[in-house]
Amino acid sequence: MAVLLDGKALAAGLMADLKLRADALKARGKTPGLAVILVGDDPASQVYVRNKGKACEDLGLLSETIRLPQETSQQDLETQIEQLNRDPRIDGILVQLPLPRHLDEAVALRRIAPEKDVDGFHIENAGRLFTGQSGVVACTPKGILYMLKKAQIPLAGKEAVVIGRSNIVGKPVAMLLLNENCTVTLCHSRTVDLAAHTRRADILVAAVGKPRFVTADMVKPGAAVIDVGINRVDGKVVGDVDFENVEKVAGYLSPVPGGVGKMTIGMLMENTIEAAERKAH
Ligand code: NAD
């Protein structure tokens, strides 16, 4: 039976460490501040934004949510971002995705000052990761690495296979694993014979968005399997991995819920506190 990678317990430990760092900043008169811009009324985004606000509250961070109407123009969105770039109380700016379809996501993200880009989606931070320079790393990929390292899973020289090539999960997690000296294969919707790749993986990351997509026959015995997927099936949240069966084959497995998702907000808090620490030095 696989060892469970307990995101809930890991996130609790991380939050306790972060509280000390936040308190140290506050003692110096610098309360870290996070601003979240939410455009429109996407129900899932509302939940995420609420959870982010709650995490800020737990750590005693300044938290500001700017709610803009669905029909907000690109110009108004960018003006709002630039205002936050100049605001000295704000260390981190996050534009909640997805944006309504009439808005240009890439252009909006580029408006965020890179040092305040706590999601790590700005092209400068993505480029820093790509070229092995320090920068802000996207929260979900950073959380995945944190989980692997906390479980002391060996990475150097290992075969890592990532399913999914999005800019927010697949590509950055592949790059982080490469930086850890894994041999990385990045699979996607056009990959031929996916299982032939996944069966070689010592570390398998599933970021597809399809319920129970990774089945036991696709997993190498003893592999560390990280399930990033968040899918709703009959009102229940399930991952991309067929948990019941993969659990019998894998060496390590992150559950959904209670796995990677728990780490993501913790990493957002860490990125915000790091941004405040950089400014305070
Ligand atoms: P996305 O839709 O942008 O990307 C999905 C990827 O899966 C694509 O690159 C595509 O090529 C690949 N794919 C689709 N069908 C495939 C197939 N048949 N074979 C191989 N690859 C295939 O999704 P995303 O934003 O990267 O998110 C992926 C999943 O992770 C979603 O369920 C999302 O909700 C979840 N997610 C979770 C967190 C978290 O905090 N836990 C954060 C971000 C995303």
Side-chain angles (χ1 to χ4, degrees):
M1 278 301 224
V3 173
L4 279 197
L5 297 170
D6 183 350
K8 208 170 163 186
L10 282 174
L14 173 68
M15 289 290 276
D17 290 346
L18 292 176
K19 178 88 173 70
L20 298 178
R21 286 165 69 179
D23 287 348
L25 282 163
K26 286 165 82 174
R28 295 165 59 193
K30 177 70 200 99
T31 301
L34 173 68
V36 176
I37 301 178
L38 177 58
V39 187
D41 41 24
D42 177 64
S45 294
Q46 304 271 357
V47 175
Y48 294 141
V49 168
R50 241 194 338 268
N51 291 341
K52 286 164 188 170
K54 166 87 175 56
C56 282
E57 204 178 290
D58 291 346
L59 295 180
L61 309 194
L62 170 78
S63 156
E64 213 171 272
T65 303
I66 293 119
R67 291 170 195 278
L68 300 176
Q70 177 79 16
E71 61 279 6
T72 298
S73 69
Q74 183 78 23
Q75 182 58 50
D76 286 351
L77 173 61
E78 292 181 27
T79 303
Q80 182 62 67
I81 293 170
E82 270 152 18
Q83 213 167 306
L84 293 168
N85 284 343
R86 289 191 300 270
D87 188 337
R89 300 169 311 130
I90 299 299
D91 301 290
I93 303 169
L94 183 153
V95 175
Q96 183 64 45
L97 303 179
L99 288 172
R101 271 217 295 272
H102 67 279
L103 296 173
D104 188 329
E105 214 161 87
V107 171
L109 294 177
R110 273 209 296 277
R111 283 278 176 256
I112 301 174
E115 66 278 9
K116 292 194 178 188
D117 165 44
V118 281
D119 247 345
F121 294 160
H122 189 284
I123 202 152
E124 178 169 329
N125 285 314
R128 283 176 173 272
L129 178 62
F130 193 84
T131 52
Q133 299 174 59
S134 72
V136 186
V137 175
C139 302
T140 300
K142 192 176 177 183
I144 293 170
L145 255 283
Y146 185 89
M147 279 186 128
L148 291 168
K149 287 194 163 179
K150 280 285 177 186
Q152 297 184 320
I153 293 165
L155 299 175
K158 298 295 179 188
E159 292 279 343
V161 174
V162 177
I163 320 175
R165 58 175 159 184
S166 72
N167 288 335
I168 65 168
V169 189
K171 280 188 226 168
V173 82
M175 212 46 71
L176 285 174
L177 290 164
L178 182 63
N179 289 348
E180 295 293 331
N181 299 310
C182 290
T183 301
V184 182
T185 305
L186 191 43
C187 298
H188 46 79
S189 51
R190 302 286 187 91
T191 296
V192 175
D193 197 359
L194 180 65
H197 294 284
T198 61
R199 275 198 286 265
R200 282 198 333 268
D202 300 305
I203 296 121
L204 178 60
V205 180
V208 188
K210 293 192 172 158
R212 303 188 183 98
F213 181 78
V214 174
T215 48
D217 59 309
M218 295 167 72
V219 175
K220 178 178 172 177
V225 180
I226 306 291
D227 189 351
V228 189
I230 300 178
N231 309 291
R232 280 181 181 78
V233 177
D234 302 331
K236 258 182 66 183
V237 173
V238 299
D240 288 346
V241 173
D242 176 10
F243 186 89
E244 285 74 24
N245 294 309
V246 169
E247 191 186 23
K248 296 175 192 145
V249 182
Y252 297 87
L253 178 57
S254 72
V256 176
V260 173
K262 292 280 176 219
M263 303 309 302
T264 298
I265 288 191
M267 289 301 156
L268 174 67
M269 295 299 112
E270 182 169 63
N271 283 349
T272 304
I273 290 170
E274 263 169 21
E277 286 170 343
R278 273 197 307 272
K279 213 162 66 184
H281 276 131

